[in-house]
Amino acid sequence: MLLLPATRARKYQQLAHEADETSMAEMLQCNMDNVFDTVLGNLQLILDELHGGETRRQIGEHFKLEDFWIKIGQVFKSISKEATKLSVLFSKPPVPTVEECQSMLNSLEMNAVALISVFYGLPKNRGIVLRKSTKQAVVNIVEAVQLLVSKIKTNQYQSSESQLQSTGSVWEVCDLFDSLPKNNKTAVLIKINQVKDLVKDAVLELEEAVVSDSQGDDWQGFEDLGLDNSNENYTWSEKDKDVLLSCIGLLKVTRTCLKKVTLALKENAQWEEEHHVAQLDDIADICLTVSPAVDELAESLYPPMKYENVTIRTDHLAGISRNLLDRTKSSHICTEGDMSWIEFLYKAIDHNLEKISGCII
């Protein structure tokens, strides 16, 4: 059908208008993408810097831990607020302008920069464990913000369930501020309690396996390890069981060491003086080696049991437990009243090693 000249002209105008609208939409999308990509890239640079190592920034002589927590707490709240504002901006049509996005994202990015700037003001001599704990909290926040910005971009700047979830994640990590350890004593206690719980779980799992075996039941742990319990090579001999029970005894002594050290820390640990802080870090370093040593020992106790491996790993765990007692004994957390349980645990370690050796011979 032929169009009249006037109709044809209107049709051309309509097509041209639609093309202009499409071109403008594409340009807006491109500009918006560039703004978001820039912020995402800058947030990644922040994370790379945090993961890359420690800063060489000089810390002032008059650092006050109380002031540090006030400052960083304010930034936590500010980031939560800015993330909320960004999410609300994209919660319903129309899509905000590039300028509005630029302003909002710049504010969020500046808060992220402020966060790491305040964090880097926390000196190492206030506690390595405390600094690592705080650093992880900072990383979690920056990652949550990065995820939120990424979700908004991925969903084409339209409100989505993933955007709401990401906003909630930012709130969650920011709200954890109140539960963060505020000194090295608290930070070390948290770490040791985590290790103590892992040792407790290992003991309970092995005891469950012993009970299941004595009742003739199939223990679920064999399947978890990919073992066929119907195979005689994957069952304990009577000698294996004696070794296993003796090793559980050593694990319980290790758990008791952690428990008693934790109590001494709670009652006596100081965190104001630098040399006291360093002693707490040393104790924490030793405790953090307990968990992998327990895992390795527990692994060697499952059938088929190799006694050489068991001997090596029990000696290793016993050495760590002795080292922990040595370090506790020489630190400020040890009082005269603590010497009795320390000496008792030294003897308990030796006694259990002798039992294990007697079973293996």
Side-chain angles (χ1 to χ4, degrees):
M1 179 178 66
L2 295 176
L3 295 175
L4 295 174
T7 305
R8 189 182 301 119
R10 286 195 298 271
K11 185 65 174 178
Y12 286 153
Q13 288 176 352
Q14 181 183 353
L15 292 173
H17 180 69
E18 291 175 354
D20 287 342
E21 285 187 339
T22 302
S23 178
M24 289 178 63
E26 291 175 350
M27 185 178 298
L28 177 63
Q29 174 85 27
C30 181
N31 290 340
M32 194 81 83
D33 286 349
N34 288 337
V35 170
F36 272 74
D37 286 340
T38 298
V39 173
L40 287 170
N42 291 340
L43 290 173
Q44 187 58 50
L45 288 174
I46 292 173
L47 289 171
D48 291 343
E49 181 179 347
L50 285 167
H51 290 307
E54 298 295 339
T55 178
R56 296 181 181 179
R57 182 181 306 182
Q58 296 296 319
I59 308 298
E61 294 181 3
H62 303 293
F63 173 86
K64 292 184 178 180
L65 194 58
E66 297 82 1
D67 293 342
F68 167 81
W69 287 113
I70 291 173
K71 289 179 182 178
I72 202 167
Q74 290 171 343
V75 183
F76 271 55
K77 292 178 181 178
S78 183
I79 287 179
S80 180
K81 181 179 177 181
E82 292 299 322
T84 302
K85 288 164 64 177
L86 178 66
S87 186
V88 169
L89 194 63
F90 291 93
S91 63
K92 58 184 179 180
V95 175
T97 65
V98 174
E99 290 73 20
E100 289 175 321
C101 293
Q102 182 82 64
S103 175
M104 191 70 69
L105 288 170
N106 283 347
S107 180
L108 189 56
E109 182 184 334
M110 286 174 62
N111 274 277
V113 172
L115 180 64
I116 66 166
S117 179
V118 176
F119 162 69
Y120 280 141
L122 177 62
K124 295 180 184 179
N125 62 18
R126 291 302 173 133
I128 298 298
V129 178
L130 175 64
R131 205 165 193 275
K132 287 181 177 179
S133 172
T134 309
K135 178 180 178 179
Q136 188 57 57
V138 170
V139 168
N140 290 344
I141 288 178
V142 178
E143 287 180 341
V145 169
Q146 186 184 47
L147 180 62
L148 171 60
V149 175
S150 176
K151 289 298 182 183
I152 293 174
K153 177 177 180 287
T154 301
N155 290 293
Q156 300 294 306
Y157 313 108
Q158 305 296 320
S159 181
S160 65
E161 185 65 28
S162 61
Q163 174 189 322
L164 295 176
Q165 291 174 350
S166 299
T167 306
S169 295
V170 176
W171 294 341
E172 184 178 350
V173 291
C174 289
D175 288 346
L176 288 175
F177 173 79
D178 290 338
S179 63
L180 291 177
K182 302 301 190 297
N183 58 63
N184 208 44
K185 174 182 177 178
T186 307
V188 169
L189 280 170
I190 290 172
K191 284 296 180 184
I192 297 179
N193 278 322
Q194 290 172 350
V195 174
K196 186 172 62 177
D197 288 343
L198 291 171
V199 177
K200 179 182 177 181
D201 290 343
V203 170
L204 290 175
E205 186 174 287
L206 288 169
E207 288 180 331
E208 179 187 335
V210 171
V211 172
S212 296
D213 183 83
S214 65
Q215 294 175 346
D217 298 331
D218 290 338
W219 179 59
Q220 182 63 38
F222 287 113
E223 294 181 9
D224 295 338
L225 293 167
L227 304 178
D228 180 6
N229 197 27
S230 63
N231 188 323
E232 64 179 9
N233 291 326
Y234 294 138
T235 57
W236 283 298
S237 66
E238 290 304 314
K239 181 177 180 179
D240 289 345
K241 294 175 186 177
D242 291 338
V243 173
L244 174 60
L245 290 172
S246 298
C247 287
I248 289 176
L250 179 63
L251 288 168
K252 288 182 176 180
V253 171
T254 301
R255 185 180 65 187
T256 303
C257 287
L258 292 167
K259 180 179 179 180
K260 298 297 287 186
V261 170
T262 299
L263 291 173
L265 272 164
K266 284 181 179 179
E267 294 177 6
N268 308 316
Q270 303 296 318
W271 51 268
E272 293 88 353
E273 299 296 330
E274 187 173 339
H275 66 285
H276 289 156
V277 170
Q279 289 176 352
L280 298 182
D281 281 332
D282 289 343
I283 291 172
D285 284 343
I286 297 169
C287 289
L288 291 175
T289 65
V290 170
S291 182
V294 167
D295 288 342
E296 289 176 358
L297 174 57
E299 181 183 350
S300 71
L301 295 176
Y302 293 111
M305 190 182 292
K306 296 182 179 180
Y307 299 139
E308 181 180 357
N309 289 341
V310 173
T311 300
I312 292 172
R313 293 175 183 182
T314 51
D315 286 344
H316 179 55
L317 180 59
I320 292 174
S321 297
R322 289 194 193 98
N323 193 18
L324 176 58
L325 294 175
D326 290 343
R327 197 68 193 89
T328 301
K329 186 177 178 181
S330 64
S331 75
H332 72 280
I333 72 169
C334 180
T335 65
E336 186 175 347
D338 293 315
M339 292 304 300
S340 58
W341 63 260
I342 288 177
E343 293 302 325
F344 173 81
L345 289 173
Y346 276 131
K347 294 176 182 178
I349 293 169
D350 292 338
H351 173 70
N352 279 277
L353 281 179
E354 290 174 3
K355 281 184 63 178
I356 294 167
S357 297
C359 293
I360 289 176
I361 294 174

